[in-house]
Amino acid sequence: MLDGAARLKIPAGTQPGQRLVLKGKGMPHLRGRGRGDAIYEVIVEVPTHLTARQRELLEEFRGAHEGDSSPRVSKFLERMKQLFGS
């Protein structure tokens, strides 16, 4: 943050690559008053090593969403299967 701290709430359902905006919290305008907007892009890091408990929780998550998955959830779970050889 350029001018101190600010709180950014990330809404439920936010997807990777989505941009979140803090109005009036960006760079000051060069020849005028006020500030621009601060724009943040959501980046999701996929873990490379999971504990047995974490893997169990992912499997439980997959079971809870079978038949009701969005395309992104399906792709995420497919990547996890490839990554961990399931």
Side-chain angles (χ1 to χ4, degrees):
M1 194 82 222
L2 292 172
D3 195 27
R7 188 171 288 254
L8 175 64
K9 289 192 177 188
I10 301 174
T14 300
Q15 298 294 314
Q18 187 172 339
R19 292 187 175 164
L20 304 172
V21 178
L22 285 176
K23 298 279 186 189
K25 297 291 185 180
M27 295 286 292
H29 293 292
L30 290 176
R31 296 188 178 121
R33 293 183 179 177
R35 295 179 164 275
D37 298 338
I39 302 172
Y40 298 90
E41 186 172 346
V42 176
I43 299 173
V44 177
E45 185 175 327
V46 178
T48 55
H49 302 287
L50 294 177
T51 65
R53 177 67 178 141
Q54 290 169 328
R55 186 180 180 107
E56 178 184 326
L57 289 169
L58 274 176
E59 291 295 331
E60 186 178 325
F61 177 76
R62 183 178 72 181
H65 283 70
E66 282 194 27
D68 188 29
S69 293
S70 69
R72 288 187 187 222
V73 170
S74 297
K75 287 179 185 178
F76 170 76
L77 293 172
E78 191 61 37
R79 279 184 279 159
M80 284 294 159
K81 284 183 193 176
Q82 291 173 353
L83 187 63
F84 298 107
S86 294

mmCIF file of all heavy atoms in Angstrom, residues 17-51:
data_model
loop_
_atom_site.group_PDB
_atom_site.id
_atom_site.type_symbol
_atom_site.label_atom_id
_atom_site.label_comp_id
_atom_site.label_asym_id
_atom_site.label_seq_id
_atom_site.Cartn_x
_atom_site.Cartn_y
_atom_site.Cartn_z
ATOM 1 N N GLY A 17 -7.132 -15.123 -11.130
ATOM 2 C CA GLY A 17 -7.087 -14.166 -12.236
ATOM 3 C C GLY A 17 -8.082 -13.026 -12.100
ATOM 4 O O GLY A 17 -8.007 -12.043 -12.826
ATOM 5 N N GLN A 18 -9.011 -13.152 -11.179
ATOM 6 C CA GLN A 18 -9.994 -12.084 -10.979
ATOM 7 C C GLN A 18 -9.311 -10.878 -10.359
ATOM 8 O O GLN A 18 -8.369 -11.016 -9.588
ATOM 9 C CB GLN A 18 -11.109 -12.583 -10.071
ATOM 10 C CG GLN A 18 -12.268 -11.636 -9.930
ATOM 11 C CD GLN A 18 -13.427 -12.270 -9.161
ATOM 12 O OE1 GLN A 18 -13.539 -13.478 -9.064
ATOM 13 N NE2 GLN A 18 -14.270 -11.423 -8.602
ATOM 14 N N ARG A 19 -9.763 -9.695 -10.706
ATOM 15 C CA ARG A 19 -9.178 -8.468 -10.176
ATOM 16 C C ARG A 19 -10.112 -7.832 -9.159
ATOM 17 O O ARG A 19 -11.311 -7.744 -9.368
ATOM 18 C CB ARG A 19 -8.890 -7.499 -11.309
ATOM 19 C CG ARG A 19 -7.784 -8.019 -12.188
ATOM 20 C CD ARG A 19 -7.372 -7.030 -13.202
ATOM 21 N NE ARG A 19 -6.228 -7.589 -13.926
ATOM 22 C CZ ARG A 19 -5.803 -7.141 -15.064
ATOM 23 N NH1 ARG A 19 -6.393 -6.108 -15.619
ATOM 24 N NH2 ARG A 19 -4.775 -7.696 -15.659
ATOM 25 N N LEU A 20 -9.509 -7.399 -8.057
ATOM 26 C CA LEU A 20 -10.247 -6.722 -6.998
ATOM 27 C C LEU A 20 -9.751 -5.286 -6.925
ATOM 28 O O LEU A 20 -8.563 -5.031 -7.083
ATOM 29 C CB LEU A 20 -10.023 -7.431 -5.662
ATOM 30 C CG LEU A 20 -10.382 -8.922 -5.641
ATOM 31 C CD1 LEU A 20 -9.947 -9.550 -4.331
ATOM 32 C CD2 LEU A 20 -11.861 -9.118 -5.853
ATOM 33 N N VAL A 21 -10.666 -4.339 -6.690
ATOM 34 C CA VAL A 21 -10.334 -2.919 -6.751
ATOM 35 C C VAL A 21 -10.601 -2.247 -5.410
ATOM 36 O O VAL A 21 -11.634 -2.458 -4.785
ATOM 37 C CB VAL A 21 -11.173 -2.222 -7.850
ATOM 38 C CG1 VAL A 21 -10.879 -0.738 -7.908
ATOM 39 C CG2 VAL A 21 -10.928 -2.876 -9.205
ATOM 40 N N LEU A 22 -9.622 -1.433 -4.974
ATOM 41 C CA LEU A 22 -9.819 -0.538 -3.833
ATOM 42 C C LEU A 22 -9.906 0.878 -4.401
ATOM 43 O O LEU A 22 -8.907 1.457 -4.834
ATOM 44 C CB LEU A 22 -8.658 -0.635 -2.847
ATOM 45 C CG LEU A 22 -8.604 -1.875 -1.970
ATOM 46 C CD1 LEU A 22 -7.342 -1.868 -1.122
ATOM 47 C CD2 LEU A 22 -9.818 -1.957 -1.080
ATOM 48 N N LYS A 23 -11.092 1.420 -4.413
ATOM 49 C CA LYS A 23 -11.320 2.751 -4.985
ATOM 50 C C LYS A 23 -10.570 3.824 -4.200
ATOM 51 O O LYS A 23 -10.608 3.847 -2.972
ATOM 52 C CB LYS A 23 -12.812 3.088 -4.988
ATOM 53 C CG LYS A 23 -13.650 2.169 -5.829
ATOM 54 C CD LYS A 23 -13.577 2.560 -7.262
ATOM 55 C CE LYS A 23 -14.543 1.708 -8.077
ATOM 56 N NZ LYS A 23 -14.355 1.906 -9.488
ATOM 57 N N GLY A 24 -9.857 4.677 -4.936
ATOM 58 C CA GLY A 24 -9.186 5.821 -4.331
ATOM 59 C C GLY A 24 -7.979 5.492 -3.469
ATOM 60 O O GLY A 24 -7.507 6.339 -2.722
ATOM 61 N N LYS A 25 -7.444 4.284 -3.570
ATOM 62 C CA LYS A 25 -6.313 3.881 -2.736
ATOM 63 C C LYS A 25 -5.034 3.644 -3.548
ATOM 64 O O LYS A 25 -4.059 3.119 -3.043
ATOM 65 C CB LYS A 25 -6.646 2.584 -1.976
ATOM 66 C CG LYS A 25 -7.792 2.725 -1.021
ATOM 67 C CD LYS A 25 -7.416 3.593 0.148
ATOM 68 C CE LYS A 25 -8.539 3.633 1.166
ATOM 69 N NZ LYS A 25 -8.212 4.453 2.302
ATOM 70 N N GLY A 26 -5.023 4.063 -4.805
ATOM 71 C CA GLY A 26 -3.861 3.853 -5.661
ATOM 72 C C GLY A 26 -2.944 5.071 -5.709
ATOM 73 O O GLY A 26 -2.853 5.852 -4.763
ATOM 74 N N MET A 27 -2.271 5.240 -6.834
ATOM 75 C CA MET A 27 -1.319 6.333 -7.034
ATOM 76 C C MET A 27 -2.045 7.677 -7.067
ATOM 77 O O MET A 27 -3.150 7.781 -7.581
ATOM 78 C CB MET A 27 -0.587 6.156 -8.369
ATOM 79 C CG MET A 27 0.294 4.932 -8.435
ATOM 80 S SD MET A 27 1.793 5.132 -7.492
ATOM 81 C CE MET A 27 2.633 6.366 -8.442
ATOM 82 N N PRO A 28 -1.398 8.737 -6.551
ATOM 83 C CA PRO A 28 -1.989 10.070 -6.665
ATOM 84 C C PRO A 28 -1.982 10.529 -8.131
ATOM 85 O O PRO A 28 -1.092 10.167 -8.886
ATOM 86 C CB PRO A 28 -1.073 10.959 -5.826
ATOM 87 C CG PRO A 28 0.032 10.116 -5.330
ATOM 88 C CD PRO A 28 -0.165 8.721 -5.805
ATOM 89 N N HIS A 29 -2.990 11.298 -8.503
ATOM 90 C CA HIS A 29 -3.041 11.843 -9.863
ATOM 91 C C HIS A 29 -1.908 12.853 -10.032
ATOM 92 O O HIS A 29 -1.596 13.624 -9.117
ATOM 93 C CB HIS A 29 -4.394 12.512 -10.124
ATOM 94 C CG HIS A 29 -5.530 11.545 -10.153
ATOM 95 N ND1 HIS A 29 -5.697 10.608 -11.143
ATOM 96 C CD2 HIS A 29 -6.569 11.375 -9.291
ATOM 97 C CE1 HIS A 29 -6.785 9.901 -10.899
ATOM 98 N NE2 HIS A 29 -7.326 10.343 -9.774
ATOM 99 N N LEU A 30 -1.271 12.856 -11.200
ATOM 100 C CA LEU A 30 -0.114 13.724 -11.433
ATOM 101 C C LEU A 30 -0.455 15.208 -11.397
ATOM 102 O O LEU A 30 0.259 16.011 -10.813
ATOM 103 C CB LEU A 30 0.543 13.388 -12.767
ATOM 104 C CG LEU A 30 1.276 12.053 -12.827
ATOM 105 C CD1 LEU A 30 1.795 11.797 -14.235
ATOM 106 C CD2 LEU A 30 2.410 12.025 -11.831
ATOM 107 N N ARG A 31 -1.524 15.594 -12.074
ATOM 108 C CA ARG A 31 -1.845 17.020 -12.175
ATOM 109 C C ARG A 31 -3.240 17.316 -11.644
ATOM 110 O O ARG A 31 -4.019 18.015 -12.268
ATOM 111 C CB ARG A 31 -1.745 17.455 -13.628
ATOM 112 C CG ARG A 31 -0.350 17.339 -14.151
ATOM 113 C CD ARG A 31 -0.231 17.951 -15.523
ATOM 114 N NE ARG A 31 1.148 17.840 -15.939
ATOM 115 C CZ ARG A 31 1.548 17.208 -17.004
ATOM 116 N NH1 ARG A 31 0.679 16.622 -17.801
ATOM 117 N NH2 ARG A 31 2.826 17.154 -17.314
ATOM 118 N N GLY A 32 -3.519 16.795 -10.516
ATOM 119 C CA GLY A 32 -4.841 17.035 -9.966
ATOM 120 C C GLY A 32 -4.959 16.495 -8.556
ATOM 121 O O GLY A 32 -3.991 16.102 -7.937
ATOM 122 N N ARG A 33 -6.151 16.505 -8.103
ATOM 123 C CA ARG A 33 -6.418 16.025 -6.755
ATOM 124 C C ARG A 33 -6.824 14.562 -6.787
ATOM 125 O O ARG A 33 -7.261 14.042 -7.787
ATOM 126 C CB ARG A 33 -7.565 16.819 -6.143
ATOM 127 C CG ARG A 33 -7.236 18.235 -5.904
ATOM 128 C CD ARG A 33 -8.415 18.873 -5.236
ATOM 129 N NE ARG A 33 -8.126 20.278 -4.951
ATOM 130 C CZ ARG A 33 -8.986 21.091 -4.432
ATOM 131 N NH1 ARG A 33 -10.203 20.672 -4.144
ATOM 132 N NH2 ARG A 33 -8.657 22.333 -4.190
ATOM 133 N N GLY A 34 -6.723 13.962 -5.613
ATOM 134 C CA GLY A 34 -7.226 12.607 -5.463
ATOM 135 C C GLY A 34 -6.237 11.537 -5.870
ATOM 136 O O GLY A 34 -5.079 11.806 -6.201
ATOM 137 N N ARG A 35 -6.719 10.342 -5.833
ATOM 138 C CA ARG A 35 -5.903 9.170 -6.145
ATOM 139 C C ARG A 35 -6.665 8.262 -7.094
ATOM 140 O O ARG A 35 -7.888 8.272 -7.140
ATOM 141 C CB ARG A 35 -5.609 8.375 -4.871
ATOM 142 C CG ARG A 35 -4.762 9.119 -3.876
ATOM 143 C CD ARG A 35 -4.556 8.263 -2.631
ATOM 144 N NE ARG A 35 -3.465 8.778 -1.837
ATOM 145 C CZ ARG A 35 -2.184 8.482 -2.030
ATOM 146 N NH1 ARG A 35 -1.836 7.672 -2.984
ATOM 147 N NH2 ARG A 35 -1.249 9.014 -1.275
ATOM 148 N N GLY A 36 -5.905 7.438 -7.775
ATOM 149 C CA GLY A 36 -6.500 6.413 -8.628
ATOM 150 C C GLY A 36 -6.905 5.206 -7.787
ATOM 151 O O GLY A 36 -6.848 5.238 -6.556
ATOM 152 N N ASP A 37 -7.285 4.147 -8.465
ATOM 153 C CA ASP A 37 -7.697 2.928 -7.781
ATOM 154 C C ASP A 37 -6.510 1.973 -7.662
ATOM 155 O O ASP A 37 -5.653 1.913 -8.541
ATOM 156 C CB ASP A 37 -8.808 2.234 -8.560
ATOM 157 C CG ASP A 37 -10.057 3.089 -8.678
ATOM 158 O OD1 ASP A 37 -10.227 3.996 -7.841
ATOM 159 O OD2 ASP A 37 -10.856 2.850 -9.604
ATOM 160 N N ALA A 38 -6.457 1.212 -6.579
ATOM 161 C CA ALA A 38 -5.477 0.140 -6.419
ATOM 162 C C ALA A 38 -6.150 -1.135 -6.920
ATOM 163 O O ALA A 38 -7.254 -1.477 -6.488
ATOM 164 C CB ALA A 38 -5.057 -0.008 -4.967
ATOM 165 N N ILE A 39 -5.506 -1.827 -7.846
ATOM 166 C CA ILE A 39 -6.073 -3.030 -8.442
ATOM 167 C C ILE A 39 -5.189 -4.213 -8.083
ATOM 168 O O ILE A 39 -3.980 -4.179 -8.287
ATOM 169 C CB ILE A 39 -6.193 -2.881 -9.968
ATOM 170 C CG1 ILE A 39 -7.071 -1.669 -10.289
ATOM 171 C CG2 ILE A 39 -6.758 -4.151 -10.594
ATOM 172 C CD1 ILE A 39 -7.111 -1.301 -11.753
ATOM 173 N N TYR A 40 -5.807 -5.265 -7.548
ATOM 174 C CA TYR A 40 -5.097 -6.473 -7.143
ATOM 175 C C TYR A 40 -5.633 -7.654 -7.924
ATOM 176 O O TYR A 40 -6.839 -7.813 -8.059
ATOM 177 C CB TYR A 40 -5.284 -6.724 -5.641
ATOM 178 C CG TYR A 40 -4.717 -5.612 -4.797
ATOM 179 C CD1 TYR A 40 -5.490 -4.522 -4.438
ATOM 180 C CD2 TYR A 40 -3.393 -5.642 -4.408
ATOM 181 C CE1 TYR A 40 -4.958 -3.489 -3.689
ATOM 182 C CE2 TYR A 40 -2.854 -4.615 -3.652
ATOM 183 C CZ TYR A 40 -3.644 -3.545 -3.296
ATOM 184 O OH TYR A 40 -3.106 -2.528 -2.558
ATOM 185 N N GLU A 41 -4.736 -8.482 -8.434
ATOM 186 C CA GLU A 41 -5.132 -9.685 -9.160
ATOM 187 C C GLU A 41 -4.928 -10.898 -8.252
ATOM 188 O O GLU A 41 -3.889 -11.042 -7.616
ATOM 189 C CB GLU A 41 -4.306 -9.851 -10.429
ATOM 190 C CG GLU A 41 -4.770 -11.004 -11.289
ATOM 191 C CD GLU A 41 -4.072 -11.052 -12.632
ATOM 192 O OE1 GLU A 41 -3.432 -10.061 -13.020
ATOM 193 O OE2 GLU A 41 -4.177 -12.087 -13.286
ATOM 194 N N VAL A 42 -5.935 -11.775 -8.213
ATOM 195 C CA VAL A 42 -5.890 -12.956 -7.360
ATOM 196 C C VAL A 42 -5.025 -14.027 -8.025
ATOM 197 O O VAL A 42 -5.234 -14.379 -9.179
ATOM 198 C CB VAL A 42 -7.317 -13.510 -7.114
ATOM 199 C CG1 VAL A 42 -7.269 -14.790 -6.302
ATOM 200 C CG2 VAL A 42 -8.172 -12.460 -6.430
ATOM 201 N N ILE A 43 -4.043 -14.520 -7.277
ATOM 202 C CA ILE A 43 -3.172 -15.595 -7.751
ATOM 203 C C ILE A 43 -3.314 -16.747 -6.767
ATOM 204 O O ILE A 43 -3.202 -16.564 -5.562
ATOM 205 C CB ILE A 43 -1.699 -15.138 -7.822
ATOM 206 C CG1 ILE A 43 -1.576 -13.985 -8.808
ATOM 207 C CG2 ILE A 43 -0.793 -16.291 -8.197
ATOM 208 C CD1 ILE A 43 -0.212 -13.343 -8.825
ATOM 209 N N VAL A 44 -3.564 -17.942 -7.297
ATOM 210 C CA VAL A 44 -3.731 -19.120 -6.453
ATOM 211 C C VAL A 44 -2.555 -20.051 -6.695
ATOM 212 O O VAL A 44 -2.243 -20.394 -7.822
ATOM 213 C CB VAL A 44 -5.052 -19.852 -6.765
ATOM 214 C CG1 VAL A 44 -5.190 -21.114 -5.935
ATOM 215 C CG2 VAL A 44 -6.229 -18.923 -6.535
ATOM 216 N N GLU A 45 -1.905 -20.440 -5.618
ATOM 217 C CA GLU A 45 -0.777 -21.360 -5.707
ATOM 218 C C GLU A 45 -1.258 -22.758 -5.338
ATOM 219 O O GLU A 45 -1.858 -22.961 -4.286
ATOM 220 C CB GLU A 45 0.332 -20.922 -4.754
ATOM 221 C CG GLU A 45 1.570 -21.758 -4.869
ATOM 222 C CD GLU A 45 2.692 -21.209 -4.005
ATOM 223 O OE1 GLU A 45 2.778 -19.986 -3.846
ATOM 224 O OE2 GLU A 45 3.454 -22.025 -3.487
ATOM 225 N N VAL A 46 -0.976 -23.715 -6.209
ATOM 226 C CA VAL A 46 -1.361 -25.100 -5.958
ATOM 227 C C VAL A 46 -0.224 -25.774 -5.207
ATOM 228 O O VAL A 46 0.925 -25.747 -5.651
ATOM 229 C CB VAL A 46 -1.645 -25.833 -7.287
ATOM 230 C CG1 VAL A 46 -1.991 -27.294 -7.025
ATOM 231 C CG2 VAL A 46 -2.766 -25.137 -8.041
ATOM 232 N N PRO A 47 -0.507 -26.382 -4.056
ATOM 233 C CA PRO A 47 0.556 -27.017 -3.281
ATOM 234 C C PRO A 47 1.155 -28.212 -4.012
ATOM 235 O O PRO A 47 0.461 -28.923 -4.737
ATOM 236 C CB PRO A 47 -0.148 -27.467 -2.004
ATOM 237 C CG PRO A 47 -1.589 -27.535 -2.341
ATOM 238 C CD PRO A 47 -1.818 -26.535 -3.429
ATOM 239 N N THR A 48 2.456 -28.440 -3.806
ATOM 240 C CA THR A 48 3.120 -29.570 -4.467
ATOM 241 C C THR A 48 3.247 -30.764 -3.540
ATOM 242 O O THR A 48 3.369 -31.890 -4.006
ATOM 243 C CB THR A 48 4.518 -29.161 -4.957
ATOM 244 O OG1 THR A 48 5.262 -28.647 -3.856
ATOM 245 C CG2 THR A 48 4.430 -28.108 -6.040
ATOM 246 N N HIS A 49 3.218 -30.567 -2.249
ATOM 247 C CA HIS A 49 3.318 -31.661 -1.279
ATOM 248 C C HIS A 49 2.188 -31.526 -0.270
ATOM 249 O O HIS A 49 1.998 -30.468 0.321
ATOM 250 C CB HIS A 49 4.657 -31.616 -0.537
ATOM 251 C CG HIS A 49 5.836 -31.695 -1.449
ATOM 252 N ND1 HIS A 49 6.194 -32.864 -2.075
ATOM 253 C CD2 HIS A 49 6.711 -30.761 -1.858
ATOM 254 C CE1 HIS A 49 7.271 -32.643 -2.825
ATOM 255 N NE2 HIS A 49 7.591 -31.365 -2.715
ATOM 256 N N LEU A 50 1.446 -32.611 -0.097
ATOM 257 C CA LEU A 50 0.346 -32.613 0.862
ATOM 258 C C LEU A 50 0.589 -33.673 1.920
ATOM 259 O O LEU A 50 1.146 -34.729 1.635
ATOM 260 C CB LEU A 50 -0.985 -32.936 0.165
ATOM 261 C CG LEU A 50 -1.520 -31.938 -0.840
ATOM 262 C CD1 LEU A 50 -2.806 -32.472 -1.460
ATOM 263 C CD2 LEU A 50 -1.771 -30.600 -0.204
ATOM 264 N N THR A 51 0.126 -33.376 3.123
ATOM 265 C CA THR A 51 0.157 -34.385 4.173
ATOM 266 C C THR A 51 -0.993 -35.358 3.917
ATOM 267 O O THR A 51 -1.896 -35.084 3.106
ATOM 268 C CB THR A 51 -0.022 -33.743 5.560
ATOM 269 O OG1 THR A 51 -1.345 -33.179 5.628
ATOM 270 C CG2 THR A 51 1.023 -32.682 5.826
#
